[in-house]
Amino acid sequence: MSDSAPRRRSSKGKQRPARDGATIQRPAGARGAQAAAAQEAERQRRLRLLAGGALVAIIVVVALIAFTVLNDDDASDEAVVIPPGAAEGSPAAGGASPEATSAAGSASPEASPTGAVASATGTVGHLLGDPNAPLTIVEYADFQCPFCGEFAREIKPQLIADYVDTGKVQLEFRDLAFLGQESLDAAEASWCAGDQGKYWEFHDTLFANQSGENEGAFARARLVEMATGIGLDVTTFESCIDGDTHEASVQASNEQAAADGVTSTPTLIIDGEKLVGLGSYDELRDRIEEALGNQ
Amino acid sequence: MSSATASKRHSATSSAATTGGFVARIPLIVLLLCVVGAGVAGYLTYTHYDESALVCSVGDCGTVQKSKYAEIGPIPIAILGLGMYAVVALTALARILRRGPLSFDGWTIASWAISFAGLLYAGYLTYVEIWVIDAICQWCVTSAIVTLLIVILESILIWRLLDAPE
């Protein structure tokens, strides 16, 4: 019992070294040898059990890891969806009703000066709507966040139709790209699309093509396919994303999110107050009306 | 002979109790660690499924939990952790109450093998967090440390049962 190290025994029934006797008392003679042999057999049995247990543990873990690595959900081969309003040559604002299109930007391309505004106003996002609108709503989102996607697809078109297109609200989209590499890649790519004046079309296309997180939905090939789909100059777009042209822009937006105390997406900032998470349109409308009343 | 066997088993099962307070308490400590671990794994399972919040939260745990390593097929690994703590807790309980189909040593070997598997996987996940995802989720690390402690404690019992077979 007081031994500090496990003993190694090569064969059963052999005469044991004397020092073992200190630990385990054995009767002398043939019965003693028999008991010792039984004891050794038991010890060997436990060692085998233990080795078996360890082996099973290792096999199970290796299998789990292999399953994770090999059964990788790969979204990079999925077909790219171009939202009707964002597609190249899609009808302009007057042609399609806002409800008929899932594209936020296409609802009001003429009335809304769009594009990056980092230099002009000191903000770090992209603007949609009348710059003289009485209220500006800031939206922080990550292109990979499923709730941001739901907001962009389900609620934002209605928000744009009711408030942005009517000149009551200017919308500013800011990146809070934090869900991994593809969040950063998608955000940078959106800025590259903005360089060509098609930020909102790309924004809508990204949200229409969400598929898991960091599983290839926003792999380079798919981003390029999206750019092609909305009619960007692909060579310019490719050199923009390959050169990490807007890495600093996204970084600045992320830093602004931290400065604004935004810790989750989607977060809307309406008249200085945060509306966190995906809520209902009614809730959003009430907040906007309240903010407009305060103006 | 049967009474001799019975007394031998009795002496074997109670050997831990008679040879040191700490060793005798290992099953109880393992049980408590399992409660802690299950709490952590339960919290991670909850946050994994927590769609009611309808947000993606900033923070390394959010990033880790959104990574492809957070699930094996459809099963969140937090649930696997929860299952491991539950099974190890059962082996600890069986040893404390001296119940169940296995002997004290049998439960110890089973518990050791299961927690060893857990430790190997936790080690892999910690490697992934540091070198692949580049984000550390403190709750995941807490769970890994709890598993490590369980394996160390079970190894002490294993050491003794190999050292002093019946």
Side-chain angles (χ1 to χ4, degrees), chain B residues 5-160:
Chain B
T5 311
S7 79
K8 208 150 81 169
R9 173 162 298 167
H10 175 76
S11 74
T13 51
S14 61
S15 62
T18 55
T19 53
F22 173 71
V23 173
R25 289 193 191 97
I26 282 181
L28 182 62
I29 301 169
V30 167
L31 183 64
L32 293 176
L33 284 171
C34 284
V35 171
V36 174
V40 172
Y43 171 75
L44 286 170
T45 306
Y46 170 75
T47 55
H48 189 93
Y49 280 120
D50 183 23
E51 304 254 314
S52 63
L54 297 175
V55 293
C56 299
S57 294
V58 174
D60 286 346
C61 272
T63 308
V64 171
Q65 287 263 66
K66 282 282 178 201
S67 76
K68 67 175 183 181
Y69 302 96
E71 286 180 349
I72 297 176
I75 305 164
I77 53 168
I79 283 190
L80 288 185
L82 204 54
M84 183 203 74
Y85 288 122
V87 173
V88 173
L90 280 180
T91 71
L93 210 56
R95 280 174 286 175
I96 292 167
L97 302 175
R98 310 216 185 278
R99 293 270 170 84
L102 299 182
S103 68
F104 185 95
D105 294 342
W107 285 121
T108 301
I109 290 174
S111 176
W112 180 84
I114 294 164
S115 51
F116 178 63
L119 181 66
L120 288 180
Y121 202 72
Y124 165 71
L125 291 172
T126 307
Y127 157 80
V128 164
E129 282 185 66
I130 296 171
W131 298 106
V132 181
I133 306 175
D134 198 21
I136 292 280
C137 172
Q138 66 273 25
W139 294 106
C140 310
V141 174
T142 304
S143 180
I145 290 171
V146 168
T147 308
L148 175 66
L149 289 176
I150 290 174
V151 171
I152 290 173
L153 291 172
E154 297 291 6
S155 297
I156 292 172
L157 284 180
I158 293 281
W159 190 279
R160 297 183 71 92

